[in-house]
Amino acid sequence: MIPLSFEFYPPKTDEQRTQLDRSAERLKVHAPEYVSCTFGAGGSTLSYTPETVRRLHQRHGFDAAPHLSCVGGTREEIRKLLALYRGIGCRRLVALRGDLPSGMGRPGDLRYAADLVAFIRAETGSHFHIEVACYPETHPQADDALTDLRHFKAKIDAGADSAITQYFYNADAYFQFVDDARAAGVEVPIVPGVMPISNFSQLRRFSEACGAEIPRWVVKRMQGYGDDSGAIREFAADLVARLCRRLIDGGAPALHFYALNLARPSQAVLARLD
Ligand code: FAD
């Protein structure tokens, strides 16, 4: 079976913690290589990521990787977080620039994710396996795909070990991106980020903000199902499983599921992949 990882976000309430625990237990049967936990840049979830990483590591026994973003943070804050994560026993990080909520705060000491990767390497040597983000459909703020690819390569040159893509529903975008990255001299694994579909209207809103395209035919199909949540679930799981199958057959080195603290949507896809 291809290596898997699952991404969670930090719960803030007891109810959300229970949901995370339940989902983590269910997803454990798939023996993920690691799980990761997102980080709220310059905002309210700042303090919940370490707590969640500790929970995923100590209570659930996962190799747990915190996401760490530099936007809005100082070098000293990042240094403290790195020490904290070493203390918890983390060996892997997802290093990001992040996004500041609009109109909020100062940009921070490090401007781009490449600067953060270089800082982590300078501070901690080879202790952490560093993952970075990349964008087969191009980052929404990038001028064009090739400029964005150069910025991606800068993160690898700064010391990143592998990359996780933004999610997409068009496998060709991934294959083209990998070809372009290889031609540009990027040799690290590029792992597709897979977004199982649970709440379609939420997904559409989110996709607009992060620049991920949902094909028109998928939108129209979903609209056709109206309130038939059973039909939507089946169609969504088939769609994402077919995408995963193509990615695996095309040589993807692993799959990273944006589980978002739910087990069932990822499991519905994995069940279809055996
Ligand atoms: P960068 O690689 O720094 O790139 C950001 C933009 O700047 C791009 O358009 C790039 O082309 C451009 N750029 C880079 N370098 C330069 C340069 N030298 N000069 C000019 N332009 C440049 N967000 C969170 O807040 N928390 C999370 O936990 C989180 N997890 C994520 C996990 C994954 C797998 C992915 C794909 C995204 C995640 N994000 C998260 C979202 C991410 O923070 C945003 O997409 C953010 O806008 C960019 O982060 P980055 O690390 O890709 O930034």
Side-chain angles (χ1 to χ4, degrees):
M1 182 64 183
I2 189 164
L4 299 174
S5 50
F6 297 108
E7 182 170 313
F8 299 112
Y9 63 85
K12 294 183 198 157
T13 63
D14 285 343
E15 198 182 324
Q16 288 179 350
R17 276 184 203 98
T18 306
Q19 183 187 45
L20 174 76
D21 288 338
R22 210 172 31 233
S23 298
E25 282 307 311
R26 286 192 178 136
L27 291 172
K28 203 180 276 181
V29 301
H30 301 288
E33 190 183 13
Y34 72 96
V35 297
S36 78
C37 178
T38 61
F39 183 83
S44 57
T45 60
L46 206 61
S47 57
Y48 292 98
T49 303
E51 170 193 315
T52 308
V53 165
R54 190 178 279 119
R55 192 180 190 92
L56 290 166
H57 182 61
Q58 293 177 351
R59 184 173 182 148
H60 296 288
F62 288 123
D63 177 358
H67 294 207
L68 180 55
S69 67
C70 57
V71 73
T74 63
R75 283 190 181 79
E76 196 43 40
E77 283 164 351
I78 296 168
R79 191 173 283 128
K80 282 193 184 136
L81 274 176
L82 292 172
L84 180 64
Y85 290 136
R86 272 181 95 134
I88 294 175
C90 299
R91 298 302 303 249
R92 189 188 288 260
L93 291 172
V94 184
L96 304 144
R97 183 197 69 179
D99 291 308
L100 270 186
S102 58
M104 231 188 99
R106 52 192 282 283
D109 287 351
L110 305 170
R111 184 143 185 211
Y112 296 110
D115 305 324
L116 176 62
V117 173
F119 181 75
I120 297 170
R121 282 286 173 245
E123 292 283 317
T124 63
S126 58
H127 180 82
F128 292 107
H129 175 107
I130 303 177
E131 306 272 354
V132 288
C134 61
Y135 302 84
E137 295 180 325
T138 308
H139 185 266
Q141 288 157 10
D143 290 339
D144 58 73
L146 297 184
T147 311
D148 203 30
L149 180 63
R150 266 203 308 281
H151 295 147
F152 168 49
K153 183 171 186 298
K155 298 194 267 196
I156 307 305
D157 292 345
D161 296 291
S162 50
I164 306 169
T165 75
Q166 182 59 279
Y167 66 88
F168 53 86
Y169 294 100
N170 179 354
D172 288 330
Y174 170 78
F175 293 126
Q176 181 68 55
F177 181 78
V178 173
D179 285 350
D180 291 346
R182 300 295 177 237
V186 172
E187 289 172 4
V188 302
I190 298 175
V191 175
V194 176
M195 182 70 91
I197 301 171
S198 53
N199 180 330
F200 189 66
S201 44
Q202 212 172 52
L203 179 72
R204 274 190 87 185
R205 276 197 303 278
F206 186 60
S207 300
E208 261 166 44
C210 69
E213 186 179 60
I214 304 184
R216 177 183 157 86
W217 70 271
V218 174
V219 174
K220 292 291 172 195
R221 194 73 191 245
M222 286 290 193
Q223 284 168 346
Y225 290 130
D227 293 333
D228 187 346
S229 55
I232 291 174
R233 259 200 314 276
E234 286 292 304
F235 171 71
D238 286 344
L239 176 84
V240 179
R242 236 179 3 252
L243 172 68
C244 292
R245 174 52 59 205
R246 267 201 77 194
L247 294 170
I248 295 168
D249 291 346
L255 297 175
H256 178 81
F257 279 79
Y258 293 102
L260 303 178
N261 299 11
L262 298 174
R264 291 220 165 91
S266 298
Q267 288 194 302
V269 173
L270 288 166
R272 285 161 169 78
L273 292 173
D274 282 342

